[in-house]
Amino acid sequence: MSDHIAAIDAIAAKYDNDPTRLLDMLLAVQEQERYVSDAATRLLAQKLGLSWGDIQQTVSFYHLLSQEPRGKYTVYLNNGPVSIMQGYEGVATAFSEAVGCSFGSVTADGRIGLFTTADMGMGDQEVAALINNVVFTNLTPEKARILVKAMQKGVPAQDMVTDNTEYGKYGDGNNSLPSIHSMVCNNLIKPGPVCFGPYQAGAALRKCVAQSPEQVLAEVKASKLRGRGGAGFPTGMKWELCAKAEGPERCVVANADEGEPGTFKDRVLLTERAQLLFEGMAVCAYAIKATTGALYLRGEYAYLKDYLEQVLEQMRSDNLLGKDIAGKPGFDFLISGCSWVLAPMSAARNQLLESAEGRRGEPRNRPPFPAQSGFHTMPTVIDNVETLAATVQIIDKGATWFRSLGTEESTGTKVLSISGDCDRPGVYEVEFGITLGELLTLAGARDPQAAQVGGPSGRCLNAAARDTAISFEDCPSAGAILIIGAQHDLLTIIDNFMAFFTEESCGSCVPCRTGTWMLRNTLRRIMHGQGTREDLTSMRQLSAVMQKTTKCGLGHTAANPILNTLDNFPHLYDALIPEQTDIRSFDLEAAVQASNLTVGRASVAKEEQV
């Protein structure tokens, strides 16, 4: 017991006994013990001055944290839509048969646990899995069996990925660096002039310090850059609001939690253009006079953490971060390492702040907005990785150059993650204004019946939408485009999206907590041939209520997969609803059996019923 106490004390001390670093501590505990025990929870509560309930509610919120042992080897297999399209069922069966237990359980000897996760940011190389935070991609049933044999032999997960083994080999670019050593591939199919164009480290910062903060801010505003995370809010306006907010200190937070299924562009930016991102944070810091920065990194990208820390250290050595940056007295900006998180959809700005401060990723009430009171109550700019990277090129090459790319209202380029039924899945940096049809041709789409633009919360478009432009004026996208071929049942993909939303709802507001389940259950009833025309109407009505009354972006957009397919693919629903039926079929006996099972009551034989 004394060793256990000492281990928990050491973990807390590593993070200065700071309650706002609770998530980092919990992750360290789980990595060490393979779960977060009640004893560890109570020790941390005493050490940090928190209640047991404070820590318990945080542990229970994040899907990669567990209060029960999850095995010496914890396997998380992605069951998102692209994974399903690429052979998830066969890989899952191979894992389960080779391990000897079903998903959601651990072997009797405690060696291997099998679990699923909604997305890993690996949509271009599915089927993918995490084993003790090590990423494995392009899995097949045979590869799954090979990995199980390695785990049964006791091979450490990281040792299963080397320069060239039967388990896998290093990926391209920086993925092969000693600080990463990952089998992940970049799949950068089409580099563009902004995020993946020519870049001279420090050039933008040197131009910044030769100007006033107000001039830098004016240049960003003149570029007409809009946020690349999906909402499209003018970046210069956001920075200006933060710069004018009252407060002794300001903060810059880079949101690297691209959690919606099908999105993986930030993974490549973090791998190949990390310095561009961090320099963008410093540009923002100069413009708004911030002194503190933080990177909010999704848990599935933890394999990049050591590499990102090395990039930060090198930039401090090169006087591009730290004190008197680029030789400018008083320009001090410190990015305090990489806090990594666990909940795929917690990256809406207010949820992000709650999570970054060590709590459940639930939405804050607004106002105040982050620009007024954000990270640790400081006025805070929260920008997407791609947005911050673009600001470096704007300062270096000028707003006029940036506006020459894209369209009048959507200036610059957009980095897209394209996956699904296509010959060339990967990352594409294209100018805004490119049409969906042009993108499908670039990616080598195979007989597409639909394209999901912007992830599950975006738009599901049919073949008639090939001339739709990717732009804020026409069809915006946070970055994901999923191509769904004619061979797939589209409503099965939509059901997967709805399962994602039901799982990721934080539960803090009723319309989202119950509405997502009601929509999914109604969809499934229709898919099973038990739906009515009334169901189609009720789904639209419920969707309207959710859009108007939920607290955050997830709830506002959770009904989009249903609404989009009702509008653009009505024939799929028509084919499943029996003609001349306005009364929903009801199986009384099945309902009674389900009720008995739920409450643990024995069924009564018909002859015994009174």
Side-chain angles (χ1 to χ4, degrees):
M1 184 63 180
S2 60
D3 290 343
H4 184 249
I5 294 173
I8 300 300
D9 284 348
I11 289 172
K14 179 180 178 181
Y15 297 101
D16 300 321
N17 296 315
D18 181 357
T20 67
R21 301 300 298 274
L22 176 61
L23 277 177
D24 296 284
M25 298 178 202
L26 292 173
L27 286 163
V29 170
Q30 173 135 328
E31 185 173 358
Q32 183 171 285
E33 301 184 359
R34 307 312 307 157
Y35 76 114
V36 181
S37 65
D38 184 69
T41 298
R42 294 184 184 279
L43 287 170
L44 279 175
Q46 293 173 7
K47 197 72 179 175
L48 304 179
L50 299 173
S51 71
W52 173 85
D54 287 333
I55 298 181
Q56 184 74 3
Q57 69 171 353
T58 300
V59 174
S60 65
F61 183 82
Y62 296 98
H63 78 285
L64 291 182
L65 289 176
S66 174
Q67 296 165 287
E68 300 292 336
R70 291 211 162 182
K72 179 180 178 181
Y73 294 92
T74 307
V75 179
Y76 284 99
L77 185 64
N78 181 24
N79 65 353
V82 184
S83 181
I84 289 175
M85 293 164 65
Q86 300 298 332
Y88 164 83
E89 291 295 340
V91 174
T93 299
F95 266 119
S96 185
E97 290 177 350
V99 169
C101 72
S102 59
F103 273 81
S105 63
V106 180
T107 55
D109 62 1
R111 178 175 287 272
I112 302 173
L114 297 179
F115 303 91
T116 59
T117 187
D119 188 72
M120 291 171 45
M122 302 291 160
D124 53 335
Q125 43 210 298
E126 295 288 3
V127 178
L130 278 174
I131 302 178
N132 291 0
N133 294 324
V134 178
V135 180
F136 294 86
T137 61
N138 295 311
L139 293 177
T140 63
E142 179 58 29
K143 288 181 180 178
R145 287 186 280 268
I146 290 173
L147 290 173
V148 172
K149 288 180 181 179
M151 289 185 278
Q152 290 170 338
K153 292 178 181 177
V155 178
Q158 187 60 64
D159 291 351
M160 298 179 200
V161 182
T162 62
D163 195 28
N164 192 2
T165 69
E166 62 178 327
Y167 314 118
K169 59 183 180 180
Y170 299 143
D172 58 345
N174 288 340
N175 288 295
S176 63
L177 292 176
S179 55
I180 300 180
H181 272 181
S182 171
M183 69 187 301
V184 176
C185 289
N186 289 323
N187 290 326
L188 178 56
I189 308 298
K190 185 177 177 13
V194 179
C195 290
F196 293 104
Y199 161 62
Q200 182 181 355
L205 279 174
R206 285 187 284 273
K207 290 185 178 181
C208 276
V209 299
Q211 308 174 62
S212 69
E214 292 75 18
Q215 288 173 312
V216 171
L217 203 156
E219 191 73 7
V220 174
K221 290 180 69 175
S223 73
K224 300 177 70 174
L225 172 67
R226 296 172 67 170
R228 292 337 195 208
F233 192 83
T235 302
M237 184 183 298
K238 181 194 294 185
W239 290 15
E240 186 174 49
L241 290 170
C242 187
K244 291 180 177 180
E246 295 183 2
E249 292 185 75
R250 291 174 178 78
C251 181
V252 180
V253 174
N255 181 2
D257 181 30
E258 51 176 2
E260 281 201 286
T263 310
F264 47 84
K265 65 183 179 66
D266 288 353
R267 183 199 77 216
V268 182
L269 285 167
L270 290 164
T271 304
E272 300 299 331
R273 287 299 173 100
Q275 186 160 344
L276 184 70
L277 162 64
F278 294 138
E279 187 167 346
M281 294 176 69
V283 167
C284 179
Y286 185 77
I288 69 171
K289 301 177 183 177
T291 57
T292 301
L295 173 66
Y296 186 86
L297 183 69
R298 68 178 296 182
E300 290 83 357
Y301 293 169
Y303 71 95
L304 293 172
K305 192 168 184 281
D306 289 345
Y307 165 69
L308 295 172
E309 294 281 10
Q310 286 186 9
V311 174
L312 287 173
E313 181 58 36
Q314 185 61 52
M315 291 183 71
R316 287 190 284 267
S317 297
D318 294 340
N319 193 219
L320 298 178
L321 287 174
K323 294 184 68 65
D324 300 332
I325 295 173
K328 178 76 170 182
F331 178 21
D332 303 338
F333 179 63
L334 181 65
I335 299 175
S336 56
C338 309
S339 295
W340 49 296
V341 296
L342 307 151
M345 281 299 290
S346 67
R349 287 179 297 167
N350 286 308
Q351 291 104 307
L352 179 153
L353 291 172
E354 285 293 295
S355 183
E357 293 178 11
R359 295 184 289 272
R360 293 168 63 91
E362 295 182 347
R364 294 179 177 179
N365 292 326
R366 296 179 295 176
F369 294 92
Q372 301 164 310
S373 177
F375 192 49
H376 298 305
T377 72
M378 291 182 286
T380 301
V381 164
I382 304 174
D383 269 331
N384 173 269
V385 169
E386 184 184 349
T387 307
L388 289 163
T391 63
V392 177
Q393 302 285 34
I394 289 168
I395 298 303
D396 187 30
K397 297 180 174 65
T400 301
W401 168 81
F402 190 78
R403 288 199 310 271
S404 71
L405 305 169
T407 70
E408 177 66 24
E409 296 301 322
S410 304
T411 57
T413 61
K414 185 74 191 81
V415 183
L416 298 171
S417 314
I418 301 181
S419 62
D421 293 317
C422 59
D423 295 327
R424 294 175 290 279
V427 172
Y428 295 71
E429 184 180 1
V430 297
E431 289 190 42
F432 272 117
I434 191 171
T435 66
L436 177 61
E438 290 171 327
L439 283 173
L440 294 177
T441 300
L442 275 176
R446 300 189 298 269
D447 192 19
Q449 67 165 315
Q452 183 72 30
V453 180
S457 61
R459 293 170 60 182
C460 189
L461 303 176
N462 57 26
R466 293 183 68 91
D467 292 333
T468 299
I470 304 300
S471 66
F472 292 108
E473 305 98 299
D474 196 350
C475 183
S477 172
I481 295 183
L482 170 60
I483 301 168
I484 304 166
Q487 73 273 28
H488 294 293
D489 178 0
L490 179 57
L491 292 187
T492 297
I493 303 298
I494 300 304
D495 177 63
N496 185 279
F497 289 161
M498 296 311 299
F500 172 77
F501 284 122
T502 58
E503 179 66 25
E504 295 306 320
S505 173
C506 74
S508 67
C509 65
V510 173
C512 181
R513 183 175 69 240
T514 62
T516 50
W517 279 102
M518 291 172 68
L519 285 175
R520 187 188 184 196
N521 289 342
T522 304
L523 173 64
R524 287 191 164 185
R525 187 165 60 244
I526 293 171
M527 292 173 67
H528 293 154
Q530 299 173 339
T532 69
R533 295 287 166 190
E534 182 185 41
D535 287 327
L536 303 184
T537 301
S538 68
M539 286 198 297
R540 288 188 183 277
Q541 292 172 337
L542 177 56
S543 298
V545 171
M546 292 173 62
Q547 289 172 332
K548 293 177 181 178
T549 59
T550 49
K551 291 180 66 174
C552 75
L554 185 144
H556 295 161
T557 59
N560 283 359
I562 299 289
L563 293 174
N564 287 173
T565 47
L566 283 172
D567 290 339
N568 298 330
F569 301 88
H571 61 283
L572 298 179
Y573 293 93
D574 292 339
L576 293 171
I577 295 178
E579 294 184 8
Q580 299 179 342
T581 175
D582 292 322
I583 302 175
R584 185 176 301 124
S585 59
F586 180 73
D587 188 333
L588 177 61
E589 187 172 343
V592 170
Q593 289 177 354
S595 173
N596 289 340
L597 181 64
T598 300
V599 300
R601 179 177 56 216
S603 298
V604 179
K606 285 186 177 181
E607 56 270 18
E608 298 179 15
Q609 296 176 6
V610 178

